[in-house]
């Protein structure tokens, strides 16, 4: 008995040593991943989704930029109506949350891309993932600075290191850094190394050749932003991009097919598949008139006059009349309030539709067709059409990017028509039709900048890339738009040139925020960002 007791005491004395020997293993949550075991490929689709969502969501751009540059139009008005933000520049009850949506979602994309970079930068086998992370940081941060101006950049994305009150860098310094980083990242992509496993760009599937083209096409876009602010830098990087190899066909388009069933919703599709929004949101007169003037084949794919009556106008299933000659754009800046800005007071008002209590005064105006109503529809990030149109402008400006302005313009026009097909079979326009149209509508050298940038506006607008349409309009000045001066608007009857910072910045990062708005001359809707001359 005594010997047995001694053995038990010895065994008990050994137990702490045995437990301590496996302490780390026993105190590691088996359901959590460490930096050493986490697969950084898993971050890429969320980065891509967040960036796309920041530029094409119901919580932002369809309520702002879509109507600032008169792609869409609406008769809503007043503080309780969402689309007043866009069509009439009037504060709504949710304006502050919309101001923050592009900021928060964009920084979320950039933050995850930064994390992916940190997880892979010391792993040579993952060199492609490292540099794709840098490319996506540039893409996300470029979009944010285009919207707001000076933003946190050099100290951004570093909260894990304790930097929670980042300084705001000047947009000039941000652009020069982004172009330098982008250049190095593209050069470091290696087709012989492992490719990304979870690439959400619909037609990329990790193809490093396509990612190189994407990087250089992004470089071209960023370079052309600077044509009025820093022409020398614009020329240098536009030429570098063209020499490196930009998009060469519609197959290179970067876009994401959303997946509503799994929580990846197309915000624009969500908006236009609700009765109130489909009823009040129409194509603008500016857009419809532009497409009709050129007999553009996209018109019958994107626009329809709904069947008569309020019920049909609010239906998301009733098909309308897509005959091009019958399309009518809704003038921007009108309402249905019965006063001086009531839609019935417009010159050439076509009359309402319906009978009895089913009458609607806007029933004859064209709305977006069903191709835009899918909550799992595509969101476009960057296209071959954009690239070719920018190359056409670069040649026009004397940049050595190869080819002629006329050839690049023709390619861009045809590609923009064909790119609509990513919205599904009902949107497809075949290459022969697109090429024939482009051939019949050549570039007029005497009006090249106007023609190129009007087509850029139409193409990005039709693909619902509203931030890009607005940014390029600010840079180019085309199309020439008549601002709306609606009662109570927040911009003095001026089309907004930037979004104010989210209100949380003034309270949470006050000193750096104050420094930034001091450079801007105030945190308002009309002060211009650095490259907007």
């Amino acid at each position: 008995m005594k010997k047995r007791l001694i053995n038990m005491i010895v065994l008990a004395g050994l137990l702490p040593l045995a437990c301590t020997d496996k302490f780390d293993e026993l105190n590691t949550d088996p359901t959590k991943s460490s930096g050493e075991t986490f697969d950084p490929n898993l971050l890429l689709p969320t980065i891509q989704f967040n960036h796309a969502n920041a530029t094409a969501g119901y919580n932002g751009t369809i309520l702002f930029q879509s109507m600032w540059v008169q792609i869409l139009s609406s008769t809503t008005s007043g503080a309780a109506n969402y689309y007043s933000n866009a069509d009439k520049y009037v504060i709504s009850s949710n304006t502050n949350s919309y101001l923050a949506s592009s900021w928060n979602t964009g920084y979320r994309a950039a933050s995850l891309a930064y994390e992916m970079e940190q997880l892979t930068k010391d792993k040579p086998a993952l060199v492609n993932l490292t540099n794709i992370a840098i490319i996506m940081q540039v893409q996300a941060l470029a979009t944010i600075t285009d919207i707001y101006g000076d933003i946190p950049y050099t100290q951004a994305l570093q909260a894990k290191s304790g930097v929670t009150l980042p300084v705001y860098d000047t947009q000039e310094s941000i652009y020069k850094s982004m172009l330098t980083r982008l250049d190095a990242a593209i050069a470091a992509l290696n087709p012989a190394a492992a490719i990304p496993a979870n690439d959400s760009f619909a037609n990329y599937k990790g193809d490093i050749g396509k990612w190189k083209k994407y990087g250089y096409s992004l470089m071209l876009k960023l370079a052309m932003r600077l044509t009025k602010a820093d022409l020398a830098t614009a020329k240098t990087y536009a030429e570098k991009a063209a020499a490196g190899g930009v998009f060469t066909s519609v197959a290179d388009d970067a876009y994401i097919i959303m997946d509503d069933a799994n929580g990846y919703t197309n915000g624009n599709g969500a908006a236009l598949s609700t009765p109130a929004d489909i009823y009040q949101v129409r194509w603008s007169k500016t857009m419809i008139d532009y497409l009709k003037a050129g007999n553009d084949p996209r018109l019958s794919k994107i626009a329809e006059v709904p069947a008569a009556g309020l019920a049909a106008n609010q239906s998301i299933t009733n098909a309308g009349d897509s005959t091009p000659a019958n399309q009518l754009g809704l003038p921007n800046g009108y309402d249905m309030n019965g006063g001086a800005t009531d839609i019935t007071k417009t010159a050439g008002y076509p009359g309402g539709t319906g009978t009895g209590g089913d009458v609607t005064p806007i029933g004859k105006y064209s709305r977006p067709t069903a191709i835009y109503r899918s909550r799992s529809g595509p969101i476009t990030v960057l296209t071959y059409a954009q690239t070719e149109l920018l190359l056409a402008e670069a040649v026009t400006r004397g940049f050595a990017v190869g080819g002629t302005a006329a050839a690049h313009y023709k390619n861009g026009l045809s590609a923009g028509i064909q790119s609509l097909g990513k919205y599904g079979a009902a949107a497809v326009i075949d290459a022969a039709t697109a090429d024939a149209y482009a051939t019949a509508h050549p570039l007029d050298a005497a009006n090249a900048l106007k023609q190129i940038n009007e087509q850029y506006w139409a193409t990005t607008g039709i693909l619902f890339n509203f931030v890009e349409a607005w940014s390029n309009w600010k840079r180019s000045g085309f199309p020439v738009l008549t601002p709306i001066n609606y009662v109570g608007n927040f911009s003095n009857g001026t089309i907004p040139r930037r979004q104010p910072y989210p209100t949380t910045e003034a309270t949470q990062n006050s000193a750096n925020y104050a420094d930034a708005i001091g450079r801007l001359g105030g945190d308002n809707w009309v002060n211009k960002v650095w490259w907007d001359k």
Side-chain angles (χ1 to χ4, degrees):
M1 181 68 176
K2 183 176 180 181
K3 182 178 179 182
R4 184 179 175 189
L5 181 60
I6 291 172
N7 288 340
M8 290 178 66
I9 292 171
V10 171
L11 180 61
L14 291 173
L15 281 174
L17 295 174
C19 289
T20 301
D21 192 45
K22 295 182 177 291
F23 183 82
D24 288 340
E25 179 180 328
L26 293 173
N27 285 276
T28 299
D29 186 343
T31 68
K32 304 288 171 130
S33 181
S34 67
E36 289 70 35
T37 61
F38 180 76
D39 181 0
N41 278 283
L42 298 174
L43 293 173
L44 182 56
T46 306
I47 294 164
Q48 293 168 306
F49 167 75
N50 275 275
H51 168 67
N53 202 39
T55 61
Y58 181 46
N59 57 350
T61 58
I62 195 172
L63 300 174
F64 279 8
Q65 287 88 353
S66 73
M67 300 185 201
W68 287 353
V69 287
Q70 299 175 16
I71 294 163
L72 300 177
S73 184
S74 174
T75 51
T76 60
S77 63
N81 295 295
Y82 298 151
Y83 288 98
S84 303
N85 295 301
D87 200 56
K88 302 163 186 68
Y89 334 139
V90 174
I91 296 289
S92 82
S93 57
N94 292 301
T95 295
N96 286 338
S97 65
Y98 299 146
L99 288 176
S101 64
S102 295
W103 179 278
N104 292 339
T105 312
Y107 269 116
R108 174 66 173 162
S111 179
L112 290 171
Y114 178 79
E115 184 70 11
M116 190 166 81
E117 179 192 4
Q118 301 312 302
L119 288 171
T120 59
K121 66 180 182 179
D122 297 322
K123 299 176 180 178
L126 298 178
V127 62
N128 287 323
L129 213 53
T130 303
N131 288 288
I132 286 172
I134 294 170
I135 292 170
M136 289 307 299
Q137 285 175 59
V138 170
Q139 174 73 84
L141 293 167
T143 303
I144 299 169
T145 188
D146 285 349
I147 293 172
Y148 298 94
D150 295 359
I151 60 169
Y153 179 78
T154 54
Q155 293 184 359
L157 318 178
Q158 298 177 45
K160 286 175 69 173
S161 302
V163 181
T164 57
L165 299 174
V167 299
Y168 284 61
D169 297 85
T170 66
Q171 189 176 67
E172 180 177 9
S173 67
I174 292 168
Y175 254 81
K176 290 178 178 178
S177 173
M178 289 191 302
L179 287 165
T180 299
R181 292 198 79 204
L182 190 56
D183 190 16
I186 300 166
L189 290 172
N190 182 2
I195 65 172
N198 281 357
D199 191 350
S200 285
F201 283 162
N203 50 346
Y204 278 32
K205 296 181 172 55
D207 185 328
I208 299 305
K210 286 186 181 294
W211 273 100
K212 277 184 172 285
K213 289 182 181 181
Y214 174 76
Y216 281 122
S217 298
L218 176 59
M219 179 186 290
L220 174 66
K221 188 181 81 168
L222 298 186
M224 295 303 288
R225 280 284 198 271
L226 308 185
T227 52
K228 293 182 179 177
D230 186 344
L231 188 61
T233 298
K235 182 177 187 294
T236 295
Y237 279 96
E239 292 175 352
K240 183 184 286 286
V246 294
F247 290 157
T248 55
S249 76
V250 175
D252 293 328
D253 285 358
Y255 66 99
I256 301 173
I257 301 295
M258 306 305 272
D259 183 6
D260 184 59
N262 290 298
Y264 298 97
T265 300
N266 183 316
N268 293 324
L272 295 178
S273 60
T274 59
D277 291 331
I278 193 176
Y279 173 53
Q280 302 248 27
V281 175
R282 305 290 165 123
W283 288 107
S284 76
K285 175 177 170 55
T286 309
M287 177 63 81
I288 295 297
D289 286 356
Y290 176 80
L291 297 177
K292 288 181 77 171
N295 197 24
D296 194 301
R298 288 172 289 190
L299 184 56
S300 65
K301 302 292 186 180
I302 70 166
E304 64 181 12
V305 178
L310 180 62
N313 271 245
Q314 292 180 335
S315 170
I316 63 173
T317 57
N318 286 8
D321 174 13
S322 290
T323 306
N326 295 341
Q327 301 313 308
L328 186 66
L330 178 71
N332 289 93
Y334 288 89
D335 56 40
M336 292 189 286
N337 297 340
T341 51
D342 192 90
I343 189 61
T344 61
K345 307 292 176 62
T346 61
Y349 174 65
T353 66
T355 59
D358 195 38
V359 173
T360 171
I362 59 172
K364 293 183 180 179
Y365 292 107
S366 301
R367 69 182 183 186
T369 57
I371 66 171
Y372 295 105
R373 295 176 208 154
S374 172
R375 293 171 182 254
S376 294
I379 292 180
T380 298
V381 178
L382 188 61
T383 66
Y384 171 56
Q386 289 173 253
T387 301
E388 283 291 327
L389 291 169
L390 290 172
L391 288 172
E393 180 176 339
V395 173
T396 300
R397 292 183 177 276
F399 298 176
V401 295
T404 66
H408 286 303
Y409 178 79
K410 178 183 175 182
N411 291 341
L413 177 52
S414 177
I417 293 169
Q418 293 178 61
S419 287
L420 189 61
K422 60 176 59 70
Y423 280 92
V428 170
I429 300 172
D430 64 76
T433 300
D435 287 343
Y437 181 82
T439 299
H441 295 80
L443 183 67
D444 174 12
N447 295 292
L449 291 180
K450 175 179 183 292
Q451 192 175 350
I452 291 164
N453 286 290
E454 284 181 348
Q455 186 56 229
Y456 195 97
W457 163 82
T459 296
T460 51
I462 287 169
L463 294 177
F464 274 29
N465 193 345
F466 303 127
V467 168
E468 184 57 30
W470 173 61
S471 291
N472 195 68
W473 169 81
K474 289 190 296 181
R475 178 192 70 86
S476 71
F478 296 112
V480 175
L481 301 173
T482 301
I484 304 303
N485 195 6
Y486 193 82
V487 175
N489 72 81
F490 51 58
S491 62
N492 267 338
T494 300
I495 297 174
R497 310 293 293 206
R498 64 176 291 271
Q499 284 181 207
Y501 297 116
T503 53
T504 51
E505 286 296 292
T507 55
Q508 296 178 2
N509 194 11
S510 55
N512 293 318
Y513 164 83
D515 184 47
I517 64 169
R519 291 193 296 268
L520 276 167
D523 189 15
N524 57 46
W525 304 83
V526 297
N527 284 339
K528 296 182 178 183
V529 302
W530 166 70
W531 55 252
D532 180 10
K533 305 296 184 183

